Amino acid sequence: MNNEIQISIIIIIIIIILIKYNEFEETLITSCQVEQEEQKEEEDSNILPLSLLYLHLNRIRTKECIDLRKLNRSISQYWFNEICLNLPDFEFKRHFRLTRSTFEWLCCEIIPLLRREITGSSMVGLAWEQKIGATLWFLATGECFRSIGDRFGMGESTFSYALRDVVNILITKFLSEKIVFPSTELEINEITNGFRRIGRIPNVIGAIDGSHIPIKAPHLFPVDYFNRKGFYSIVLQALVDHKKKFLDICVGWPGSTHDSRVLTNSNLYNKFNNQNNLVTTYFNNKYILGDGGYPNLGWLIVPYKNIGRGLIQEQTYFNLKHSQTRIKIEQAFGLLKGRWRCLLHNLEVSFEIVSHIITACCILHNIYEERYDFLPPGEQYHDTGTDINSETNNIETSEGNAKRNAICDFLWDSHQRRNLIV
């Protein structure tokens, strides 16, 4: 009996202990939950001020960036308006490649067109003159967009839009006015007489050649643009008069293209080679001088080729006079690249506007020559060779050979008569 009572008491005690333990465990869990909720509330209360502080700092940084940009723009505007535009004439021309009077004339010509044509936000916020000046600076130096943006107080994208706008307006306004064939007998005679004074060759209406303009490797068909000189380029074919002004240009063919192929696919070839074209009637008995990379045609005369048998004295003399006359195209390329140094290095612009930039440079070249805004001799670029392909062209027509032989005989007879007089 006593044993049963003891067992009952022990069981009761164990039950009481289990009940108390469960109550303690529940109390402990409840207190932990309360503490966690309090801690979370405390953390949330700390996060809110931190978020507000971070937002405030962002606003401060944004305001500082805006203020800094405004400050840079103000400094750049002051630099351009108060320093650049007031530079001595020599310094102004050295930086912008034109005189102050030509710059003012150019601004008066194209700013009304820019105001009318440009409706987007790309040309808003800065003076028109400042954006034209930045474009000329790029053409004259070839500096990267970031440097020019810092110098002229505009972002890279803003300058990119400004460059496109100014270049497009130059082409729209001046291409058909400044790069044109002579249209009157007086103009034609002025050119032919000018060339005759140089090398004594009569009836020369122009000198033609091609030049490589370095570019970045394009994404599409890059191998086509890799030329024989070892860099990527596009071809500028140009015809110039005796004053080194461009009469015709063809821009955009890949650097590996032979000069004769560029010619046959150009508007110039169609003008002269199409006998039904009325334009050819203005140039009867007139012809262009080209190097050995071109075919010898009735309207395109090239030097005699030494194919191993040697040249006779008359042919050697003809080649000398031919070179003395045709040198005007090489001098024109030297002036073009000396004035616009962006053409000497890879043009750091999108491939789509490379041809537009080259065309704009040719237009500005003619404008400056017309306004007697000449490049100082020390600034001219001397190319090691403007021919775009060293291979000679063996295509010769009977008409071209007959005309070249007649010119050769005329030059030699004139040379002999002058020697007799002396």
Side-chain angles (χ1 to χ4, degrees), residues 361-380:
C361 288
C362 293
I363 292 171
L364 291 171
H365 168 90
N366 276 12
I367 290 175
Y368 295 178
E369 294 297 313
E370 285 180 3
R371 294 180 60 84
Y372 303 102
D373 197 340
F374 300 125
L375 189 68
E379 297 286 339
Q380 297 181 16

Side-chain angles (χ1 to χ4, degrees), residues 9 11 23 35 95 146 168 182 265 283 329 399 411:
I9 294 172
I11 292 172
E23 291 178 354
E35 289 180 1
H95 288 300
R146 182 176 181 180
N168 289 336
N265 287 277
F283 303 100
I329 180 62
E399 182 185 2
L411 289 176

Side-chain angles (χ1 to χ4, degrees), residues 90-114:
F90 172 78
E91 286 293 321
F92 187 91
K93 184 168 185 175
R94 188 169 68 89
H95 288 300
F96 292 96
R97 291 296 194 267
L98 77 170
T99 60
R100 199 184 317 276
S101 61
T102 301
F103 178 78
E104 293 171 353
W105 175 87
L106 189 64
C107 289
C108 291
E109 289 289 323
I110 67 175
I111 285 178
L113 296 176
L114 288 170

Side-chain angles (χ1 to χ4, degrees), residues 21-133:
Y21 177 79
N22 289 334
E23 291 178 354
F24 174 75
E25 189 176 27
E26 289 177 358
T27 304
L28 183 62
I29 291 172
T30 303
S31 63
C32 287
Q33 290 177 346
V34 171
E35 289 180 1
Q36 288 177 356
E37 290 177 357
E38 291 177 353
Q39 185 176 2
K40 185 177 180 180
E41 291 177 358
E42 184 178 355
E43 288 176 356
D44 291 341
S45 64
N46 291 333
I47 288 173
L48 182 60
L50 286 175
S51 299
L52 294 174
L53 179 61
Y54 181 74
L55 181 62
H56 182 64
L57 288 175
N58 275 343
R59 288 175 179 173
I60 293 175
R61 287 176 187 152
T62 302
K63 186 176 182 302
E64 287 178 350
C65 289
I66 294 174
D67 292 341
L68 182 60
R69 183 177 297 177
K70 289 181 179 178
L71 177 62
N72 289 337
R73 178 172 292 183
S74 299
I75 293 173
S76 298
Q77 288 176 337
Y78 176 83
W79 171 79
F80 179 76
N81 295 324
E82 302 298 329
I83 299 178
C84 279
L85 296 183
N86 292 314
L87 284 172
D89 292 341
F90 172 78
E91 286 293 321
F92 187 91
K93 184 168 185 175
R94 188 169 68 89
H95 288 300
F96 292 96
R97 291 296 194 267
L98 77 170
T99 60
R100 199 184 317 276
S101 61
T102 301
F103 178 78
E104 293 171 353
W105 175 87
L106 189 64
C107 289
C108 291
E109 289 289 323
I110 67 175
I111 285 178
L113 296 176
L114 288 170
R115 286 176 177 156
R116 184 167 55 220
E117 297 293 334
I118 309 307
T119 57
S121 61
S122 62
M123 296 291 285
V124 176
L126 290 174
W128 300 97
E129 293 83 355
Q130 194 164 347
K131 300 218 171 184
I132 296 171

Side-chain angles (χ1 to χ4, degrees), residues 118-179:
I118 309 307
T119 57
S121 61
S122 62
M123 296 291 285
V124 176
L126 290 174
W128 300 97
E129 293 83 355
Q130 194 164 347
K131 300 218 171 184
I132 296 171
T135 299
L136 294 175
W137 192 286
F138 169 76
L139 299 179
T141 64
E143 282 187 12
C144 65
F145 283 15
R146 182 176 181 180
S147 297
I148 293 180
D150 291 341
R151 190 185 299 275
F152 285 86
M154 62 184 80
E156 293 181 48
S157 60
T158 301
F159 173 67
S160 176
Y161 284 117
L163 176 66
R164 289 172 182 263
D165 294 336
V166 174
V167 164
N168 289 336
I169 289 296
L170 284 172
I171 294 173
T172 302
K173 166 69 176 174
F174 292 117
L175 180 59
S176 60
E177 296 179 12
K178 301 302 180 182
I179 302 182

Side-chain angles (χ1 to χ4, degrees), residues 265-331:
N265 287 277
S266 65
N267 291 330
L268 179 68
Y269 185 86
N270 294 330
K271 286 179 182 178
F272 277 89
N273 210 51
N274 186 356
Q275 297 300 324
N276 296 323
N277 193 334
L278 295 178
V279 175
T280 59
T281 60
Y282 299 126
F283 303 100
N284 286 336
N285 300 320
K286 305 298 189 295
Y287 43 84
I288 295 168
L289 299 184
D291 65 9
Y294 293 103
N296 193 55
L297 308 173
W299 53 270
L300 175 56
I301 305 300
V302 303
Y304 287 100
K305 299 175 180 65
N306 188 347
I307 56 177
R309 294 175 295 180
L311 299 177
I312 62 176
Q313 194 172 13
E314 292 87 342
Q315 293 173 337
T316 302
Y317 184 73
F318 170 86
N319 283 359
L320 172 64
K321 291 302 179 181
H322 186 285
S323 176
Q324 289 176 351
T325 308
R326 197 184 63 85
I327 198 173
K328 290 300 175 182
I329 180 62
E330 298 176 4
Q331 293 174 344

